């Protein structure tokens, strides 16, 4: 492929991965400006450099492309390099629910006999195949472009992808043109990176203002505080709108009644009142289902066929997943909840299904927003019957201090270092009719401690103790 009349053999934004004939994108990061990596990229054989106009001064004797938004330009070039993408792409953003919704959309489309895939926190999932792991919710632009091109070659027509706030403001999806985009909710998360709630919202809005195609459809949660801003952004950029929730129009939730193995939803679905059963607990899952229905309907233009398949979907791995039951009949659930809103939702979701005591075990990640730690502690203290405060992914922080910051607002909590030991204690304490929620790590198979990743799985710990 030729760019600026130069034949390139590949492209990357990591100078260590540059090979002879490559284009190198000098993109800024939190660690350093992109200009710092230009010399090593050239030494490794880069023949073309992409960067901000002012970085031209750092590029002697090598062709240079200047762009005010090099991240977006890089994503566009990656898409051009790797070639055609699936015809129908949907993207979902929001603080919580992205993984479940992307998974539900893929499941629904697969049941409708479309070749469908999902991309996100669980990795790349093709139809009903096992996931291919991904290091990020939204991978880098090269990975996205190469995976989408490969899916197209394999005959996949539909893809639903998660888009994180980091992925959006860094334009990793700048080379993707979704025709449908969904928004779940916006609650406290990633403020260590975005610095303010307004910046966090603006990052999410990039999906609707710039990435979603003109004339595309936005599927929006009408119940959230920021709905007016998102709706306005969509109207100003020529997007169609489908709303869902208690205040939704196209998908209006009238009631959600808990049942033994799920819940029965009464709703107005594109003008007609209907009732459906979904094998998932909690109102937040009901909202995820509504969003997935709206997105699948917008993608296929077959709303009445879409809804036929909703009662046979299953929850995404590590998302309020029943991991096991004890011999005395207590249930153990694993959930990825690692934000205040998600923790509150998952505890409230399981309360109607709990005949005995509701136990919750959680921690908070290190090197992340420490302001949410006492907030999550208070939520657990107020809503759960038995609380275990333990380690999540301490990363490079002192795990003891993280737990102490949670315990300040969680006086009823038991402070137990070592997550495996805490899980053992929590399971041993369960009585008939009790429910235990292991929150925070979900599907993860590693634990970050002192900058290293050690094998760890909540699922495996449950198996060991049962």
């Amino acid at each position: 492929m030729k760019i600026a009349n130069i034949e390139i053999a590949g492209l990357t934004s990591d100078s260590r991965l540059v090979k002879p004939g490559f284009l190198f994108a000098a993109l800024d990061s939190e660690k350093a400006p992109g200009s710092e990596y230009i010399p090593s990229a050239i030494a490794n054989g880069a023949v073309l450099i992409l960067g901000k106009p002012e970085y031209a001064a750092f590029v002697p004797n090598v062709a240079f492309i200047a762009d005010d938004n090099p991240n977006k330009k890089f994503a566009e070039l990656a898409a051009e390099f790797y070639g055609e993408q699936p015809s129908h792409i949907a993207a979902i953003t929001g603080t919580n629910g992205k993984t479940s919704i992307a998974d539900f959309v893929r499941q629904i489309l697969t049941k409708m006999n479309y070749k469908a895939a999902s991309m996100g926190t669980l990795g790349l999932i093709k139809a009903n195949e096992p996931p291919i792991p991904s290091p990020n919710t939204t991978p880098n632009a090269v990975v996205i472009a190469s995976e989408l091109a490969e899916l197209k070659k394999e005959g996949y027509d539909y893809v639903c992808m998660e888009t994180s706030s980091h992925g959006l403001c860094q334009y990793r999806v700048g080379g993707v043109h979704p025709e449908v985009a969904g928004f779940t909710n916006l609650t406290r998360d990633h403020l260590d990176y975005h610095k303010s709630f307004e910046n966090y919202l603006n990052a999410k809005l990039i999906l609707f203002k710039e990435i979603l195609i003109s004339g595309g459809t936005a599927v929006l949660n009408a119940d959230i505080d920021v709905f007016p801003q998102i709706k306005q952004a969509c109207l100003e950029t020529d997007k169609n709108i489908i709303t869902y929730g208690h205040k939704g129009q196209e998908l209006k939730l009238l009631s959600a009644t808990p049942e033994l193995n799920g819940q029965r939803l009464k709703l107005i679905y594109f003008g007609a009142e209907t009732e459906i059963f979904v094998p998932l607990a909690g109102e937040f899952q009901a909202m995820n289902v509504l969003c997935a229905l709206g997105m699948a309907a917008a993608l296929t233009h077959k709303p009445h066929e879409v809804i036929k398949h909703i009662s046979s979907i299953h929850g995404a791995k590590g998302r309020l997943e029943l991991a096991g039951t004890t011999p005395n009949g207590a249930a153990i659930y694993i959930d990825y909840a690692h934000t205040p809103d998600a923790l509150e939702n998952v505890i409230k979701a399981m309360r109607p299904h709990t005949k005995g005591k509701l136990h919750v075990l959680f921690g908070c990640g290190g090197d992340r927003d420490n302001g949410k730690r006492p907030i999550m502690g208070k939520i657990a203290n107020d809503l759960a019957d038995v609380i275990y405060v333990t380690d999540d992914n301490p990363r490079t922080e002192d795990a003891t201090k993280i737990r102490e910051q949670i315990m300040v607002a969680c006086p009823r909590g038991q402070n137990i270092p070592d997550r495996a030991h805490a899980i053992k204690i929590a399971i041993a304490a369960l009585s008939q009719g009790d429910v235990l929620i292991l929150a925070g790590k979900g599907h993860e198979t590693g634990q970050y401690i002192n900058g290293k990743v050690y094998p760890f799985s909540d699922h495996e710990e449950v198996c060991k103790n049962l």
Side-chain angles (χ1 to χ4, degrees):
M1 171 181 158
K2 278 192 174 182
I3 298 175
N5 288 323
I6 296 171
E7 192 71 37
I8 65 162
L11 64 177
T12 183
S13 58
D14 186 335
S15 61
R16 296 165 298 183
L17 300 180
V18 171
K19 295 177 182 177
F22 266 45
L23 174 149
F24 171 67
L27 307 181
D28 295 344
S29 69
E30 290 181 86
K31 295 178 181 177
S35 57
E36 280 196 18
Y37 303 104
I38 291 173
S40 62
I42 293 173
N44 286 339
V47 293
L48 184 59
I49 307 294
L50 165 67
K52 292 177 179 177
E54 57 266 33
Y55 290 172
F58 298 94
V59 187
N61 307 319
V62 173
F64 180 76
I65 299 175
D67 199 283
D68 291 327
N69 188 344
N71 292 66
K72 186 177 183 182
K73 182 68 173 177
F74 178 57
E76 291 169 348
L77 291 174
E80 190 180 341
F81 181 84
Y82 284 98
E84 209 174 346
Q85 300 178 356
S87 309
H88 306 285
I89 298 176
I92 177 72
T93 197
T95 306
N96 303 309
K98 297 187 295 295
T99 300
S100 291
I101 291 165
D103 203 66
F104 295 164
V105 171
R106 175 188 53 77
Q107 288 183 54
I108 292 167
L109 296 176
T110 302
K111 291 175 189 296
M112 292 173 70
N113 294 318
Y114 292 114
K115 284 199 79 171
S118 58
M119 298 169 67
T121 307
L122 299 180
L124 171 63
I125 306 178
K126 304 174 183 179
N128 294 316
E129 295 179 17
I132 301 165
S134 170
N136 303 101
T137 295
T138 306
N140 67 57
V142 169
V143 171
I144 290 173
S146 61
E147 286 187 347
L148 288 174
E150 191 61 33
L151 286 170
K152 178 67 177 177
K153 287 173 188 171
E154 293 176 11
Y156 283 84
D157 303 309
Y158 291 84
V159 178
C160 188
M161 60 193 303
E162 295 180 57
T163 49
S164 66
S165 55
H166 292 69
L168 285 165
C169 66
Q170 293 169 14
Y171 286 89
R172 298 179 207 161
V173 290
V176 182
H177 305 291
E179 60 189 56
V180 175
F183 198 106
T184 62
N185 47 54
L186 197 75
T187 61
R188 182 173 184 136
D189 200 16
H190 303 305
L191 295 193
D192 54 307
Y193 178 83
H194 295 291
K195 308 305 179 191
S196 74
F197 201 74
E198 185 181 9
N199 290 345
Y200 185 33
L201 172 60
N202 287 333
K204 299 289 191 186
L205 287 179
I206 290 170
L207 176 60
F208 300 91
K209 289 181 175 181
E210 301 181 52
I211 308 297
L212 179 61
I213 63 170
S214 179
T217 301
V219 180
L220 308 178
N221 183 344
D223 296 348
I224 59 177
D225 292 342
V226 293
F227 169 69
Q229 292 103 298
I230 308 165
K231 180 182 177 181
Q232 187 62 30
C234 291
L235 293 174
E236 288 174 357
T237 52
D238 190 31
K239 310 293 159 54
N240 301 305
I241 296 174
I242 288 175
T243 59
Y244 69 94
H246 294 282
K247 298 176 184 176
Q249 287 192 333
E250 290 75 16
L251 295 101
K252 184 179 182 68
L253 182 61
L254 301 174
S255 66
T257 307
E259 294 189 4
L260 183 63
N261 298 313
Q263 57 187 318
R264 192 159 295 280
L265 309 181
K266 190 179 285 186
L267 60 145
I268 294 173
Y269 182 73
F270 293 99
E273 188 170 321
T274 187
E275 199 171 277
I276 56 173
F277 173 80
V278 291
L280 306 159
E283 185 170 304
F284 73 96
Q285 285 285 42
M287 295 293 278
N288 290 342
V289 164
L290 293 186
C291 184
L293 285 172
M295 293 180 71
L299 277 171
T300 63
H301 305 289
K302 296 179 180 178
H304 300 297
E305 190 178 337
V306 162
I307 200 168
K308 291 177 185 175
H309 302 283
I310 202 67
S311 62
S312 60
I313 62 169
H314 56 81
K317 187 171 178 63
R319 270 63 183 175
L320 205 54
E321 178 186 4
L322 179 61
T325 52
T326 62
N328 63 10
I332 303 163
Y333 286 83
I334 291 175
D335 192 80
Y336 191 50
H338 58 279
T339 66
D341 181 66
L343 186 64
E344 180 176 350
N345 281 335
V346 77
I347 296 173
K348 286 181 175 178
M350 293 315 301
R351 180 59 75 183
H353 301 270
T354 306
K355 292 179 181 177
K357 290 183 177 179
L358 181 53
H359 305 236
V360 64
L361 178 149
F362 76 105
C364 288
D367 303 334
R368 299 291 187 271
D369 176 14
N370 58 18
K372 69 183 181 184
R373 294 169 188 172
I375 298 172
M376 292 176 70
K378 185 176 189 311
I379 287 167
N381 197 75
D382 290 349
L383 300 178
D385 299 316
V386 183
I387 307 132
Y388 304 92
V389 175
T390 187
D391 302 329
D392 191 287
N393 291 312
R395 297 185 176 88
T396 62
E397 277 195 70
D398 182 345
T400 303
K401 290 183 179 177
I402 296 174
R403 293 194 310 277
E404 287 172 353
Q405 289 173 338
I406 299 170
M407 291 295 295
V408 165
C410 190
R412 294 197 299 111
Q414 300 177 48
N415 185 342
I416 305 175
D418 182 354
R419 191 176 181 95
H421 183 56
I423 290 173
K424 183 177 183 179
I425 291 173
I427 291 176
L430 293 173
S431 300
Q432 185 175 359
D434 286 0
V435 168
L436 168 63
I437 302 166
L438 305 179
K441 291 186 61 60
H443 63 284
E444 293 179 355
T445 55
Q447 190 174 26
Y448 293 70
I449 302 172
N450 293 326
K452 293 182 180 180
V453 183
Y454 298 90
F456 188 92
S457 161
D458 280 359
H459 291 83
E460 288 183 11
E461 294 306 316
V462 171
C463 289
K464 284 179 194 174
N465 288 285
L466 292 180

